[in-house]
Amino acid sequence: MYLRGLLIFSEQGLENVSSQKLSELLRISPPQIRKDLSYFGAFGIPGVGYDTAKLAKQIRGILRIDTPNKTALVGLGNIGSALLKYPGFGGYGLEICAVFDKDPNKIGKTVKKVEVEDVSKLSTLRKKGIVLGIIAVPADAAQEVANGLVEAGIRGILNFAPYYLDVPKKVKVISIDIAMDLARLPYYLPASA
Ligand code: NAI
């Protein structure tokens, strides 16, 4: 969140940012911001604030996104295509540079400068040194794809399929279930009179 805030201020050309300003953007109290950022050892300068670029660099280092992270995408359907076109990964040092699908009509095509490869070629990821993968295939194909990614040396998976993946402990999975998140909202709505 802090990095996203700093990226926004950086785009606005702000060289320094106060905890007050970050607070207004992120809706987190200034004392909480100062406390959180103090863990990074970057205390800022009273009356001046934090050096936007320097703090962003430090947070990138902590998140281990200070060097580019090449990412593989499996499944070039609705979600996969949207992700491949999304320009917002760059700020986080992420780049989708390998795409796989099983549809013969998609394999061999070049989308956003990336050639779509046959999913049977997942093992090439190891040679390319790619350790992050995105799963955007239907639920019934997700485990098989995850197995292939793990065998290819993938260590982190962002999973869009509504399926609980079974992977070795060394592999970190973060699942995004848009429908489930949307379904959480009605609970917070006041009951109708
Ligand atoms: P889609 O059907 O548009 O695309 C799926 C793609 O995966 C296709 O290109 C297909 O050829 C490919 N594929 C299927 N089996 C494969 C396999 N074994 N190996 C490699 N590629 C394979 O699906 P969509 O809409 O993009 O959804 C992707 C995932 O995200 C699904 O699990 C879906 O439930 C989930 N999701 C989708 C949402 C949406 O709004 N489209 C919202 C929330 C979740």
Side-chain angles (χ1 to χ4, degrees), residues 2-180:
Y2 289 127
L3 179 56
R4 184 160 56 181
L6 291 164
L7 288 174
I8 290 170
F9 287 129
S10 171
E11 272 165 26
Q12 292 171 0
L14 284 182
E15 286 179 14
N16 291 290
V17 60
S18 63
S19 42
Q20 181 61 40
K21 207 150 173 60
L22 271 169
S23 163
E24 284 160 19
L25 182 74
L26 304 176
R27 313 209 184 273
I28 299 173
S29 73
Q32 183 65 51
I33 290 177
R34 284 193 288 273
K35 189 175 163 202
D36 287 345
L37 295 186
S38 71
Y39 289 115
F40 304 148
F43 301 99
I45 303 166
V48 178
Y50 301 96
D51 181 317
T52 316
K54 195 172 149 197
L55 186 56
K57 190 166 177 254
Q58 280 172 300
I59 296 177
R60 279 199 180 93
I62 290 161
L63 296 174
R64 300 196 187 138
I65 55 172
D66 47 346
T67 51
N69 279 296
K70 291 182 182 173
T71 306
L73 166 71
V74 188
L76 191 64
N78 294 307
I79 293 262
S81 302
L83 293 174
L84 189 57
K85 285 178 199 150
Y86 181 57
F89 293 122
Y92 299 93
L94 299 163
E95 187 198 353
I96 296 175
C97 52
V99 176
F100 299 88
D101 205 289
K102 73 162 194 184
D103 184 345
N105 295 317
K106 294 177 182 172
I107 295 165
K109 294 220 166 102
T110 298
V111 185
K112 287 276 156 192
K113 296 188 186 158
V114 187
E115 190 185 328
V116 183
E117 297 176 70
D118 191 322
V119 72
S120 66
K121 305 267 166 57
L122 277 182
S123 60
T124 56
L125 291 174
R126 191 180 293 279
K127 210 164 61 187
K128 291 178 186 160
I130 297 178
V131 293
L132 298 182
I134 302 172
I135 295 181
V137 300
D140 59 5
Q143 185 62 55
E144 184 193 347
V145 166
N147 295 345
L149 289 172
V150 171
E151 270 171 39
I154 290 291
R155 299 292 305 277
I157 295 174
L158 186 65
N159 174 37
F160 281 88
Y163 187 89
Y164 291 97
L165 297 174
D166 182 14
V167 296
K169 274 208 174 76
K170 64 178 182 192
V171 178
K172 173 74 180 169
V173 175
I174 294 180
S175 289
I176 297 188
D177 191 323
I178 301 168
M180 197 169 75

